[in-house]
Amino acid sequence: MTDAALGTATSPVNMEQDVKTVTVSNKSEANADFTSISAALASIREKKEKTRIVVDGGTYDEEALELEEGVQIVAAPGCTPSSENPVIVAARADHPVIFSDLNDAYLCNLKIDHRGPFGSMACVVVESGNLTIDSCVITGSVSVGVLVCGTGAPSLINCEILQCCGDGIKVADSATPTVEGCSIHDNDGFGIFCTGLSGGKYFKNEVFANSNAGVAARGSCVGTFEENKVYNGKQGGFWLEEEAKCQLIANDIYQNQKSGIQVGGHADPLVIRNIVRDGLKGGIVVHDHATGQFLNNEIMRNTMAGVGGTDFACPLFHSNIVKDGRGGGIVLHENCRGIFEKNQVIGNTHAGIGLKGNSNALFDGNYVSDGTGYGVWVQERAVSTLQNNVIERNMRAGVVVTDNANPTLAMNIIRDGKHAGLLIRHNATGRFRQNTLSHNAHGNVVLLEQAASELVANIISHGPLGGIIIRGTTTVTVRGNTICHNDGANIAVLDNSDPICDGNVLTNGAGRGLVIMDRAKGTYRFNMIRNSELAGVYVGRQSSPELIANCICDGKAAGILFEDEATGKFTHNIVCANQNEGVAVHGKARPTLECNVVLQGAHGGIWLDENAGGHFRGNVVEDSGTNQAYRCNTATAIEWRLAERNTNTAPAALAEVLAEWAEEKMRAPGGSKKVILVQNPDSSSIEGGVAMATQCSELMGLDPSRSCMLVARFLGDAGQFEDAEELIKLTKSFIDESGPIHLEPAMRGQQWGDMSLHCAELLNKWAAASPEYSTDLMVRAAEYAKEAAEVFASIQPQDLATIESFASALYWVVLNYATLCRLGGGEKWSAAEASSIAAEALGVAHSMVTPSTPPHRIAELAFVDGVLCFCQAEALKAGHIKLPEGSPPVDEAVHELLATSLKDFEHAYGQWCEAYGEKHLQTVKAITMIGQLQSRIHGKEAGIEWSRRELRIREELQGELHPRTQQARRNYTNMIDDKLRNRALDSTSISEAMKASQAAKGEDSTVVVAKFLTDAGEFENAEVKASWTCWNGLTWCAGCAEGVSEKEFRDDRSSSRPEDGNGGHICWRILEEQDGRRIQEIWRGLLHFNAEVRSLAIVTVIAQVSLYCAELLNKWAAASPEYTKDIMIRAAEYAVDAVEVFQTLKEAGGENREKYEDMYGQSLYWLGLNLATLCRLGGCEKWTAQEAYEHANNALTECQKLRANAADQLRAEVIFAQGVLSFCKAEAVQAGFLRSTKMEKEALIERKFLQALRLFQHANQLWTGVYGEKHLETVKAITMIGTLLHKLQGPQAGMEWYRKELKIREELQGEMHPRTQQARRIYTTVLDAKLQAERKDAEISGEKDISADLADPNEVRDNEAWERRK
């Protein structure tokens, strides 16, 4: 037998030529060297030679063969295990067939078969050394095929190990075998079992059909398994336990009865590029406390989960493909943790990723798609984190969170699902941040049952059934999300859910922006809701939400729509540029709207349906002139209540100011991401106003705090200072807690400074609008200004916008601290300290002036210069601050400071006029202060014109209802009252009236002159002038009786005119000495003078004067703050005298009968008016209230008959007087002067008021048809209509009529006329009362709505009652 015939072609052993060869054969005819292998080994052991043992085919029952170093045992050629004559090395005792502990031994082409008892020792045992077993078959009924232990490092090459009662290969201790190309199968234990500290390399083997796992690793083994095929195991493929740290590389693991790879204990394998497929259970399972790294594996078509984790396992799965699993893709149980990143989880049933128990893993950057179940299912108590994953095209929800799960999802993309994108239900919570959800068929986000999750900064778009759908009793928090282009609703809140929605952007919804219905509640703050195809916010079906500081704009329908029995509270929202109503209240809805801004509603500001109601307070609602700010589809008292509770409007000038403010803010850092005002592109006219829009290209750039600042600016400029401050505080807390996620710290600093600066301005204006400056307000204003200055000074780097903001903050520091100085200091600052801080800030502001500083900034500095001087002067005068020693006297210093202040204000006025014009809110500040200084320096009358100018500008710019306008009107009214109160009986006024009479009529008769005086409001002078006629007639008649000629009498009368300055003549002297009552007694005596000496002409003139005095004194009383009974008694007596004379003259007939009849009708008219008024005042000694009423009624009945066919203007007089009579009776009954005998007192009062209202409206219609609205007759009806509406429906109902009266009287009678002043006084009083009521309303929490108000017995109870009243 030659050497070339030995071994196999694949043998790694070098068949050296100098190795001794011996032969073994158990056939006698073979002529071999030995008949047994053991004999050959014994011979070698004795000679210590390297020997090759060539064994002939046959079965050799050997004792344990202990190999020597370098020995080679090979089958003879043609005797391979698969041949017909194999070499079978067998053993029957309880010992191994082959044992090796030395190096360089070699076995080839042998079949090693242990036939000993069950559980006997292994076929081959290698304790040490590097035995090579090549192309052998190892089998038998023993426990282990090959046992490698100790430090053994054998190589098993191309062997087949099968049908062992135990493991095919067992590797223990520190053994490191190399197993390559082997087939290990059908063993009753593991195919390969590694334990201890073993290692080794296992390459390209096939391990299959073993009863236990194909490969098991325990202990701390670190073997490497590469490119093996492990399949058809009756248990699993790989099973790694305890501390095993094996490497599994590029193995093909398939069709095993249990998991393809199972990792337990504390095992920490490295599993790379394996294919784990078609398992009858799971693909890879990691449990206990195992870890491990699983990279780039392909796990597919397993019956259970492709990847499973349980217990406390914590693996890393990276870049694996997990697909087509029939029991899920990746499923974690119990307390499993771990990191799963960049895996592709595709086409799995049940769930691509399933998280159960208390699992808490990180899933980062995975792709989960095309599952027939859920994309991700988080259930039970799982708290895992999923981020940067793409989850798409799954048949059920992309992500479902159930039970008590509490996961965190961040920056995932969840899209194109056939069901919901994110479904949260049961008691699940969780945090969902910065995810993108889109195109999910059943809603992008759906929350059910009692879910209480947190959705923050997600982008949720293009949901066919909606963006976020919240149902059940969920209490989710939705903050900072961008929700757009969803059908149905961007957010729908249903059932009894109670979410918190803060700082979201809801835009471009194909349906509604926000839907709240079915008893839902919730708090919704700082949201931007725009461009909705239907209502921006819909509230229905008994829902009761709270919406605070939201911006609802640019919708294709209503801004906010209430239906059914919805309620809720809506405060500080801005609702603008919606194509239907800004706010529409339908059905039986009764919301509470307070301090909202409603602009540019194409169909009006606020609309109420017939049965709708609610509570409306302090809303700023635009009145564009073409659309009503408030409209009601009903004639119930609700309409009037609505108007009563809302008076503020936003005139165009205010919008322009806000637009300028917004443009200025755009220049600040990050200005391109701020909400601003822009001109409405759909409006071609200046009156079109403004609409909300944004100047950012990305939806995430929208900052909800900017819209809150805008609302606060509106509320402040509308005079709702307290509400504005509360809103800014709320917004600051919103930013302070977390703020918009995308904002950098510098941006937040800018925001914080902006809000503090606005509060500094806001509280200053609040204090200025109050009747008296409040120290508390000014202390807070000063603190805000100081805070703003410090914030802007700290922002780095300092750009132009920051410097501008710092300059503005300094401006308000000076104003607020100077005002605090004037008030005597407060809390932490004394008056002197406040003055010092103001002066220091003013110095810094002056140091910032450069040659390029614009004029309006120079004007601001001049203005604050003036304010500081003015406040220091006031503080000096009050003793709050002291002059240093050696200074001039206090009065002199005060006068000097005031003079300097006046110059500064005049300078500011000139600069602002140049920059803005006079009608601007900056310029009017200078006008206000100039008026104040003029009054203090030159007397009160010097400031009247400036005060009037301020009032007119504020009315135009800020609206008549603004508190600053109210304060200006109050000041102006007080100035005029002082002037009128201090005016005495003056002959100069009479002289001027006589000249006017001569110029107008060509004569200066006393009656004509008296009428000129009356029209000028000189009622007392008019009565005196009219009395001259009576006096002259009386003295002439007396003179006739004593022989005085007519010529002598006329000469005396002529010389007694007051303009001659001759006070010694009897007529003028006596008149000077008599009061009105004495004068009346004198001429009443004339009417009953001896007929023989009484001239008919004289009696006629005196009767005319009586008639005129009846009118004159009525107007005098009406122009007084309170009707004076004495004046009305005289007025009634004059009217009685006139009636008596003209009735006699009319009955006498003659050529002047028509004239006397007309005069008689006028006398009856004034008798009815004056006696009716006297009845209202309680009557007098001559006439009781009942007698006065009866005489008035008789007079007006006679007058009505007399004028039955008269012209409209005369019939209107009678109708008007009848209205006065009804009104006065109601007042007298209410005061107890008259008694109701036929009906209840309240019913009679209401009936008479309504009767009076109808009569006044009829008179107004007739007079308007004859004279037009702007006429002194028409304005009487306007006055009374306002009074009646006020009494019947509240001050708001009468306010517009009061305003109309004031404007007409200002135009016709002048602003200084007492009647105008009285109208102004009433209007101001009503406005003051309304503002006080609003403040009171704001302090009452849970105030009753309109339906509760109507329960008052003095109010309307239902539509039927209103119809009866009409």
Side-chain angles (χ1 to χ4, degrees), residues 1050-1077:
R1050 291 186 183 279
D1051 290 341
D1052 179 73
R1053 186 186 66 157
S1054 176
S1055 65
S1056 299
R1057 291 183 178 179
E1059 64 267 28
D1060 295 333
N1062 185 353
H1065 294 278
I1066 185 170
C1067 296
W1068 178 243
R1069 184 173 64 253
I1070 291 177
L1071 285 172
E1072 279 188 320
E1073 294 172 356
Q1074 307 304 319
D1075 60 11
R1077 169 63 64 181

Coordinates of all heavy atoms in Angstrom, one line a residue, residues 1050-1077:
R1050 N -93.1 155.5 25.0 CA -92.1 154.9 24.1 C -90.7 155.5 24.3 O -89.7 154.8 24.2 CB -92.6 155.1 22.7 CG -93.8 154.2 22.4 CD -94.2 154.3 20.9 NE -95.4 153.6 20.6 CZ -95.4 152.3 20.4 NH1 -94.3 151.6 20.4 NH2 -96.6 151.7 20.1
D1051 N -90.7 156.8 24.6 CA -89.4 157.4 24.8 C -88.7 156.8 26.0 O -87.5 156.5 26.0 CB -89.6 158.9 25.0 CG -90.0 159.6 23.7 OD1 -89.7 159.0 22.6 OD2 -90.5 160.8 23.8
D1052 N -89.5 156.6 27.1 CA -89.0 156.0 28.3 C -88.5 154.6 28.1 O -87.4 154.2 28.5 CB -90.0 156.0 29.4 CG -89.5 155.4 30.7 OD1 -88.7 156.1 31.3 OD2 -89.8 154.3 31.0
R1053 N -89.3 153.8 27.3 CA -88.9 152.4 27.0 C -87.6 152.4 26.2 O -86.7 151.6 26.5 CB -90.0 151.7 26.2 CG -89.7 150.3 26.0 CD -90.7 149.6 25.1 NE -90.6 150.2 23.7 CZ -91.1 149.6 22.7 NH1 -91.7 148.4 22.8 NH2 -91.0 150.1 21.5
S1054 N -87.5 153.4 25.2 CA -86.3 153.4 24.4 C -85.1 153.7 25.2 O -84.0 153.2 24.9 CB -86.5 154.4 23.2 OG -85.3 154.5 22.5
S1055 N -85.2 154.6 26.1 CA -84.0 155.0 26.9 C -83.6 153.9 28.0 O -82.6 154.1 28.6 CB -84.3 156.3 27.6 OG -85.4 156.2 28.6
S1056 N -84.5 152.9 28.1 CA -84.2 151.9 29.2 C -83.5 150.7 28.6 O -83.4 149.7 29.3 CB -85.5 151.5 29.8 OG -86.1 152.6 30.4
R1057 N -83.1 150.7 27.4 CA -82.4 149.4 26.9 C -81.1 149.2 27.6 O -80.3 150.2 27.7 CB -82.2 149.6 25.4 CG -83.5 149.6 24.6 CD -83.3 149.6 23.1 NE -84.6 149.6 22.4 CZ -84.7 149.6 21.1 NH1 -83.6 149.8 20.4 NH2 -85.8 149.5 20.5
P1058 N -80.8 148.1 27.9 CA -79.5 147.8 28.6 C -78.3 148.2 27.9 O -77.3 148.5 28.5 CB -79.6 146.3 28.9 CG -80.6 145.8 27.9 CD -81.5 146.9 27.6
E1059 N -78.3 148.2 26.5 CA -77.1 148.5 25.8 C -76.7 149.9 25.9 O -75.6 150.3 25.6 CB -77.2 148.1 24.3 CG -78.3 148.9 23.5 CD -79.6 148.1 23.5 OE1 -79.9 147.4 24.5 OE2 -80.3 148.3 22.5
D1060 N -77.6 150.8 26.4 CA -77.3 152.2 26.5 C -76.4 152.4 27.8 O -75.9 153.5 28.0 CB -78.5 153.1 26.6 CG -79.3 153.1 25.3 OD1 -78.7 152.8 24.3 OD2 -80.5 153.2 25.4
G1061 N -76.4 151.4 28.6 CA -75.6 151.5 29.9 C -76.3 152.4 30.9 O -75.7 152.8 31.9
N1062 N -77.6 152.7 30.6 CA -78.3 153.6 31.6 C -79.1 152.7 32.5 O -80.2 152.3 32.2 CB -79.2 154.6 30.8 CG -79.9 155.6 31.7 OD1 -79.8 155.5 32.9 ND2 -80.5 156.5 31.1
G1063 N -78.6 152.4 33.7 CA -79.3 151.6 34.6 C -80.2 152.3 35.5 O -80.8 151.7 36.4
G1064 N -80.4 153.6 35.3 CA -81.2 154.3 36.3 C -82.7 154.3 35.9 O -83.5 154.8 36.6
H1065 N -83.1 153.9 34.7 CA -84.4 154.0 34.2 C -85.2 152.9 34.9 O -84.7 151.8 35.2 CB -84.5 153.8 32.7 CG -83.9 155.0 32.0 ND1 -84.6 156.2 31.8 CD2 -82.7 155.2 31.5 CE1 -83.9 157.0 31.1 NE2 -82.7 156.4 30.9
I1066 N -86.4 153.1 35.2 CA -87.3 152.3 36.1 C -87.5 150.9 35.5 O -87.4 149.9 36.3 CB -88.6 153.0 36.3 CG1 -89.4 152.1 37.4 CG2 -89.4 153.1 35.0 CD1 -90.6 152.9 37.9
C1067 N -87.7 150.7 34.2 CA -88.0 149.4 33.7 C -86.8 148.4 33.9 O -87.0 147.4 34.5 CB -88.2 149.5 32.2 SG -89.7 150.4 31.8
W1068 N -85.6 148.8 33.5 CA -84.5 147.9 33.6 C -84.1 147.7 35.1 O -83.7 146.6 35.5 CB -83.3 148.5 32.8 CG -82.1 147.7 32.9 CD1 -80.9 148.1 33.5 CD2 -81.9 146.3 32.5 NE1 -80.0 147.1 33.4 CE2 -80.6 146.0 32.8 CE3 -82.8 145.4 31.9 CZ2 -80.1 144.7 32.5 CZ3 -82.3 144.2 31.6 CH2 -80.9 143.8 31.9
R1069 N -84.2 148.8 35.9 CA -83.8 148.7 37.3 C -84.7 147.7 38.0 O -84.2 146.9 38.8 CB -83.9 150.1 38.0 CG -83.4 150.0 39.4 CD -83.3 151.4 40.1 NE -84.6 152.0 40.2 CZ -85.0 153.0 39.4 NH1 -84.2 153.5 38.5 NH2 -86.2 153.6 39.6
I1070 N -86.0 147.8 37.8 CA -86.9 146.9 38.5 C -86.7 145.5 38.0 O -86.7 144.5 38.8 CB -88.4 147.3 38.2 CG1 -88.7 148.7 38.9 CG2 -89.4 146.3 38.7 CD1 -90.0 149.2 38.7
L1071 N -86.5 145.3 36.7 CA -86.2 143.9 36.2 C -85.0 143.3 36.8 O -84.9 142.1 37.1 CB -86.1 143.9 34.7 CG -87.4 144.1 33.9 CD1 -87.2 144.2 32.5 CD2 -88.3 142.9 34.2
E1072 N -84.0 144.2 37.0 CA -82.7 143.7 37.6 C -83.0 143.2 39.1 O -82.4 142.2 39.5 CB -81.7 144.8 37.7 CG -80.9 144.9 36.3 CD -79.8 145.9 36.5 OE1 -79.9 146.9 37.2 OE2 -78.7 145.6 35.9
E1073 N -83.9 143.8 39.7 CA -84.2 143.5 41.1 C -85.1 142.3 41.3 O -85.2 141.8 42.4 CB -84.8 144.7 41.8 CG -83.8 145.9 41.9 CD -84.5 147.2 42.4 OE1 -85.7 147.1 42.6 OE2 -83.8 148.2 42.6
Q1074 N -85.8 141.9 40.3 CA -86.9 140.9 40.4 C -86.3 139.5 40.0 O -85.6 139.5 39.0 CB -88.1 141.3 39.6 CG -88.7 142.7 39.9 CD -89.0 142.9 41.3 OE1 -89.5 142.0 42.0 NE2 -88.6 144.0 41.9
D1075 N -86.8 138.5 40.6 CA -86.5 137.1 40.1 C -87.6 136.7 39.2 O -88.5 137.5 39.0 CB -86.3 136.1 41.3 CG -87.6 136.0 42.1 OD1 -88.6 136.6 41.7 OD2 -87.6 135.4 43.2
G1076 N -87.4 135.5 38.6 CA -88.4 135.1 37.6 C -89.8 135.0 38.1 O -90.8 135.4 37.4
R1077 N -90.0 134.5 39.4 CA -91.3 134.4 39.9 C -92.0 135.8 40.0 O -93.2 136.0 39.7 CB -91.2 133.7 41.3 CG -92.5 133.8 42.1 CD -93.7 133.0 41.4 NE -93.4 131.6 41.3 CZ -94.2 130.8 40.8 NH1 -95.3 131.2 40.2 NH2 -93.9 129.5 40.7

